[in-house]
Amino acid sequence: MSQAGYGRLGGPLATRLPQLNVGALRTFRNGWTFAPITSVKKLEGLRGFFSFCVASGWLFNNPAKALKPPKVRPKPTLPFEDAEVERLIDACDEWGRRWGGNANEPRALFLTMRNSGLRISDAVALKKNRVRGDKIFLYQQKTGEPVFVPVPPGVVAALRALHTTGEYFFWSGKGKLKSALETA
């Protein structure tokens, strides 16, 4: 079976695949209720499928190429308001009182992450020798270049108040870091 613009295809797909033209794909795409970024990814998958169909000789062209991706307007992640930060610190203190162990640990972890930009895995694995004065010494992930991140004195004071043993502030260094993250 051969149709204008389509390759040869036998079996039940012969009557279905050629019907998937640009108009049908636009109708299909217009029914999506995904977020714009998800729609972009779904469209990439659709284009990939039709590229496979062209490469297999089932179609002469890719009708999904004509579909325009949605405009993605990323929402910026805004910093916490001062009142929100105070509520979070209060919650850390309350959790520390109820949790037992080192009652200052939740507050120190929150302050470290908030003021250094470290993700939780890097904060939990923060070594004591990485804090020098009012700076945290790190290496850039991509380049390996050393970096000093200045932090407020309250962050350093919270870290020093932990009085933990070992080389890390929030982790014993024993076991897997993943296990420590699940309890942090």
Side-chain angles (χ1 to χ4, degrees), residues 27-67:
T27 301
F28 173 65
R29 187 208 45 210
N30 289 339
W32 292 351
T33 57
F34 306 116
I37 191 71
T38 304
S39 294
V40 168
K41 294 296 181 188
K42 296 287 184 181
L43 182 56
E44 287 174 7
L46 193 62
R47 287 177 174 165
F49 168 74
F50 281 101
S51 290
F52 170 78
C53 291
V54 170
S56 298
W58 299 342
L59 296 172
F60 287 125
N61 59 27
N62 182 342
K65 280 187 175 180
L67 300 178

Side-chain angles (χ1 to χ4, degrees), residues 13-128:
L13 285 178
T15 57
R16 295 192 181 114
L17 193 56
Q19 294 170 348
L20 296 177
N21 56 28
V22 176
L25 292 181
R26 280 191 181 124
T27 301
F28 173 65
R29 187 208 45 210
N30 289 339
W32 292 351
T33 57
F34 306 116
I37 191 71
T38 304
S39 294
V40 168
K41 294 296 181 188
K42 296 287 184 181
L43 182 56
E44 287 174 7
L46 193 62
R47 287 177 174 165
F49 168 74
F50 281 101
S51 290
F52 170 78
C53 291
V54 170
S56 298
W58 299 342
L59 296 172
F60 287 125
N61 59 27
N62 182 342
K65 280 187 175 180
L67 300 178
K68 301 245 189 266
K71 292 184 179 179
V72 178
R73 293 183 181 96
K75 293 181 183 176
T77 303
L78 300 175
F80 290 120
E81 300 285 333
D82 291 342
E84 292 173 310
V85 171
E86 289 302 318
R87 287 195 308 270
L88 286 166
I89 290 173
D90 290 344
C92 287
D93 292 342
E94 179 63 26
W95 186 37
R97 281 190 291 276
R98 291 183 184 192
W99 180 42
N102 196 334
N104 298 323
E105 192 168 308
R107 173 190 270 259
L109 182 61
F110 172 75
L111 290 174
T112 300
M113 290 173 56
R114 178 174 184 266
N115 290 285
S116 68
L118 291 174
R119 58 184 174 201
I120 192 166
S121 59
D122 293 329
V124 168
L126 181 63
K127 291 184 176 184
K128 292 177 182 177

